Amino acid sequence: MSEGSPLRVMVIGAAGRMGQLTAATVAAEDDMRLVAVVDPVWAEGGQVAALGAGAEPRPASFGAVQEALAADAVDVAVDFTVPDATFGTVSAVLRAGVDAVVGTTGLSAAQIDELDGVRRAHKAHLFIAPNFALGAVLLMRFAQEAARYYPQAEIIELHHTGKIDAPSGTALRTARLMREAEGSVLGTAGEAPASLAGAPVRSGEPPSRGLDADGVRIHSVRLPGLIAHQEVLFGAEGETLSLRHDSTSRASFMAGVLLAVRRVRTLEETVVGLEHLLT
Ligand code: NAD
């Protein structure tokens, strides 16, 4: 890509909820050009979904990422696919020397390490964010701060019924960040007075007490009418503190996606988390 020319962007999973909106958003930006959209639903040459008024010229559509990479010169690929597909699609992108912005959740730590190796070998750049919404990132920051004072916390994450993975990537990352926060006292409740200890879990009951991730129990709710919501609850003697973020529209993710697309090529390492791009 030459200096000053628009970034050539490909959206993978472009027929999905996030992919459609990302494609339309990219197409409307002056410094970007939507060159290709990829989704298996177009393997049979089906119609590209309505991408909005900004999507001229129309992007080329492909059923598989390898076909798109062979046909079009691309600077950045944005991946909003499904947990089972994303490792393969992102590997293919990086192997082609193309930078990747990954919003799909569900990649394991081992898979991220492997993708980092591919990125290095092919001199590409990789950015991964389990949540592109500003408020969700701020919630994680505030939760890290509270984890320095409260030894016990639980997370309730609530999403639409189409979400495949549970718990959400955002909840897992929030728990990890809370646990790793400097001065975190999370998980030390065992040493605290008995009144601060957690409710006992009888054998056979763990499912109703959520999943234990990094010492934080996560409860996953899936209901129609929801988009993406998270509440972190801290408890101590005689008080609770609740931090909550609600994405009431997928538009909340788009500013973060655009920031990542613009910044990914400047990253020297694989970066996980939008908080690292916010100043
Ligand atoms: P969706 O099911 O609506 O869309 C996924 C799309 O991926 C589908 O159209 C599917 O056909 C396509 N797909 C499947 N395999 C593919 C492949 N091999 N190549 C190309 N396309 C493929 O899902 P969604 O609601 O758009 O969410 C997508 C992902 O983004 C999920 O993992 C979700 O958790 C995540 N998400 C992340 C954020 C964030 O801020 N990072 C926000 C919302 C959703």
Side-chain angles (χ1 to χ4, degrees), residues 12-13 16-18 39-40 80-81 85 103-105 129-132 163 253:
I12 312 171
R17 286 169 287 244
M18 288 297 290
D39 202 295
F80 276 113
T81 58
T104 314
T105 49
N131 203 313
F132 280 104
K163 183 164 178 64
F253 303 118

Side-chain angles (χ1 to χ4, degrees), residues 57-266:
R58 304 295 289 172
S61 62
F62 300 90
V65 71
Q66 290 82 357
E67 293 165 26
L69 290 165
D72 275 300
V74 175
D75 299 309
V76 183
V78 184
D79 189 287
F80 276 113
T81 58
V82 291
D84 283 349
T86 188
F87 180 76
T89 52
V90 177
S91 302
V93 164
L94 296 172
R95 258 186 259 117
V98 171
D99 296 343
V101 169
V102 183
T104 314
T105 49
L107 280 173
S108 67
Q111 286 178 317
I112 293 175
D113 277 354
E114 208 172 321
L115 289 174
D116 182 52
V118 178
R119 171 197 79 75
R120 284 171 196 272
H122 296 275
K123 296 188 168 40
H125 303 92
L126 174 60
F127 177 78
I128 302 169
N131 203 313
F132 280 104
L134 174 65
V137 173
L138 289 175
L139 184 149
M140 289 187 221
R141 193 181 284 178
F142 302 152
Q144 282 178 283
E145 174 69 13
R148 297 173 55 207
Y149 304 97
Y150 291 87
Q152 276 179 265
E154 304 210 359
I155 297 176
I156 305 170
E157 57 95 346
L158 311 92
H159 284 83
H160 59 92
T161 47
K163 183 164 178 64
I164 297 171
D165 52 322
S168 71
T170 303
L172 290 169
R173 181 150 176 81
T174 306
R176 172 65 50 89
L177 290 174
M178 285 160 61
R179 184 68 175 221
E180 291 177 349
E182 204 184 322
S184 173
V185 294
L186 258 190
T188 60
E191 298 149 25
S195 57
L196 291 187
V201 178
R202 271 185 276 159
S203 70
E205 284 187 342
S208 60
R209 289 287 295 118
L211 180 96
D212 187 335
D214 285 302
V216 179
R217 288 198 174 272
I218 304 177
H219 310 266
S220 299
V221 177
R222 299 290 177 268
L223 280 176
L226 296 169
I227 301 271
H229 317 257
Q230 175 163 291
E231 188 161 338
V232 184
L233 295 119
F234 295 87
E237 187 96 56
E239 63 168 319
T240 61
L241 170 68
S242 305
L243 303 174
R244 180 166 173 123
H245 173 256
D246 297 276
S247 277
T248 52
S249 150
R250 291 184 178 83
S252 62
F253 303 118
M254 291 301 113
V257 170
L258 292 176
L259 178 67
V261 168
R262 292 191 175 102
R263 291 278 300 280
V264 62
R265 76 192 130 142
T266 67

